[in-house]
Amino acid sequence: MNHSLQLRAYGKINLGLDVVRKREDGYHEVRMIMQTVKLYDKLTFRLLDDDVIDIKTNLRFLPINRDNLVYKAIQLLKDTYHIQQGIEIDLFKCIPVAAGMAGGSADCAAALVGASKLFGLHLSKEELMKLGVQLGADVPYCILRGTALSEGIGEILTPLSSMPNCHILIAKPPISVSTKFVYEHLDANGLTNHPDIDGMIEAIAQGNLQGISDRLENVLETVTIPEHPVISELKSCMKEHGAMNALMSGSGPTVFGLFAPDQKAAAEKARAAIRDKGLAGQVYIVKPFN
């Protein structure tokens, strides 16, 4: 049996995010196009004889106890399958935190996958996704990865054709956004404009990057941008420097811009402009992960 393992936990962006309605139980029904990107955290797992969960991370402000989703994922496996062994996890974060990129959910998904292997459970992707939804609506998608339609509260997933090749400029301004705050202040039943999710699915199927770019829309911007105008400034800066379009991911505040495959130089100029203006501290140029 292997006693150590290293995995990558990839972040995501939302090419389209629509809220269909607010349910009576307080949850929101969504229709989202999720896309994994090549920006990732690294998790190193080591099997322990002692019945403990020991987490280390490069970010001091992150909890390393039961409040951490990685801890919760491993505890769920241990409780469900009566595992007595423990695991040590070294979590190296690169995905921006509280940024609308599902970094915590991605780490949680990687923890389920890694612990399943080290504990000798070898659970299928479908079994892991069923466990993952108990920990967060984005966790099943982070196990599936790639390009997918997400419905319900985020747990109903339909794999889609792969997103066409492009450069994705990602910028996280020096603020944090509470997903809970955004959804609480969203007038879900009063929304007049809705993203063309079906048109986006068709554009993806055709490999039409322009069609995808033309349909980028996120209804949560109606809440987050008035609270944090820097998001609008980031979108404008990206488009001024050649982005086909730009959008806030998730509940924010991360903004991404899509650049054609032959426009990496433009993406680099946009990245430099964002840094020069002090709009964002974390700025990356990545590609889709399919």
Side-chain angles (χ1 to χ4, degrees), residues 38 46 98 181 215 240 269 280 282:
K38 292 183 178 179
R46 298 178 188 85
F181 173 88
R215 291 172 174 83
E240 286 167 8
K269 287 182 180 179
Q282 294 173 275

Side-chain angles (χ1 to χ4, degrees), residues 15-237:
L15 299 175
L17 195 163
D18 192 14
V19 176
V20 179
R21 69 184 181 97
K22 185 175 182 179
R23 306 193 317 192
E24 292 181 2
D25 61 7
Y27 286 99
H28 290 78
E29 280 193 14
V30 297
R31 289 192 86 215
M32 306 184 291
I33 305 292
M34 314 277 271
Q35 175 61 51
T36 311
V37 295
K38 292 183 178 179
L39 179 61
Y40 56 84
D41 299 337
K42 288 188 288 189
L43 292 87
T44 304
F45 304 87
R46 298 178 188 85
L47 201 58
L48 302 174
D49 292 330
D50 295 333
D51 189 4
V52 296
I53 300 171
D54 184 15
I55 300 175
K56 298 179 176 65
T57 179
N58 61 315
L59 299 182
R60 292 185 178 181
F61 61 83
L62 285 183
I64 55 174
N65 54 18
R66 295 177 184 274
D67 293 329
N68 189 300
L69 276 172
V70 169
Y71 191 110
K72 291 180 180 180
I74 294 170
Q75 190 65 60
L76 178 60
L77 281 178
K78 286 171 60 63
D79 291 344
T80 302
Y81 295 97
H82 311 292
I83 303 294
Q84 300 300 313
Q85 291 171 295
I87 284 186
E88 176 187 81
I89 310 100
D90 188 346
L91 170 59
F92 189 86
K93 292 287 297 179
C94 290
I95 302 170
V97 176
M101 293 192 69
S105 294
D107 296 337
C108 179
L112 287 172
V113 173
S116 169
K117 289 180 179 178
L118 285 183
F119 289 149
L121 299 172
H122 302 294
L123 300 175
S124 68
K125 186 176 288 188
E126 291 72 21
E127 289 172 316
L128 290 169
M129 289 167 68
K130 285 180 181 178
L131 285 168
V133 76
Q134 299 178 47
L135 300 165
D138 282 342
V139 177
Y141 167 73
C142 291
I143 293 170
L144 178 68
R145 303 199 297 205
T147 314
L149 170 67
S150 172
E151 297 176 288
I153 62 168
E155 85 288 7
I156 303 170
L157 298 169
T158 305
L160 302 175
S161 303
S162 296
M163 183 180 180
N165 181 36
C166 63
H167 300 288
I168 304 172
L169 177 61
I170 291 173
K172 160 67 164 60
I175 55 175
S176 294
V177 171
S178 163
T179 299
K180 185 173 183 285
F181 173 88
V182 173
Y183 275 100
E184 283 178 348
H185 288 79
L186 178 72
D187 182 11
N189 298 324
L191 292 171
T192 54
N193 295 320
H194 291 273
D196 182 8
I197 298 296
D198 292 330
M200 174 75 78
I201 293 170
E202 184 61 28
I204 292 170
Q206 295 173 353
N208 182 355
L209 186 61
Q210 186 65 59
I212 293 168
S213 300
D214 291 345
R215 291 172 174 83
L216 294 184
E217 191 173 353
N218 179 350
V219 298
L220 300 186
E221 287 186 342
T222 60
V223 177
T224 311
I225 287 180
E227 291 288 324
H228 303 288
V230 66
I231 294 168
S232 186
E233 293 179 60
L234 278 167
K235 291 176 65 177
S236 296
C237 186

Side-chain angles (χ1 to χ4, degrees), residues 169 237 241 264-280 283-285:
L169 177 61
C237 186
H241 288 82
K264 187 174 183 182
E268 289 171 344
K269 287 182 180 179
R271 175 173 61 184
I274 287 166
R275 286 175 170 164
D276 289 346
K277 293 180 178 181
L279 297 176
V283 194
Y284 308 93
I285 299 173

